[in-house]
Amino acid sequence: MNTQPVEIKILDRLVRVNCPPGQEQALKDAANEFDQRLHRLAERTKVTNTEQLIAIAALNVCHELNDAKQALETVEDQVKQRSALMTSQLDKALAVQGTQK
């Protein structure tokens, strides 16, 4: 797959990263979100060490991702349960209707 270099700004530093064609804006949006998170975290925690700040932000993002995955799994389980219940009720209704003919 071809990639092209894209410049993004993180903590007032320009970083050049390779990006698949057509994904440039998504990359820039993600970089902007990460940069904003870093600035808010720096203000909130008063951490000035860039590496430590990035590590804390990355851990926070991973924690949020894990929470989102767990929430998605819960919703998927609920959908499966409700689908099975609806299928069972539909099968019963069709069976009753079939015996009435």
Side-chain angles (χ1 to χ4, degrees), residues 29-66:
D29 291 344
N32 186 46
E33 168 70 20
F34 189 59
D35 186 55
Q36 289 176 10
R37 285 175 179 251
L38 289 169
H39 282 287
R40 287 192 305 265
L41 184 62
E43 289 174 14
R44 201 171 61 245
T45 64
K46 307 301 183 210
V47 171
T48 57
N49 180 298
T50 302
E51 289 177 5
Q52 186 178 9
L53 192 63
I54 289 173
I56 293 168
L59 287 170
N60 286 342
V61 169
C62 288
H63 177 69
E64 291 172 17
L65 178 61
N66 286 338

Side-chain angles (χ1 to χ4, degrees), residues 1 14 18 26-27 32 47 58 70:
M1 178 187 297
L14 285 177
N18 289 328
L27 174 63
N32 186 46
V47 171
Q70 182 62 45

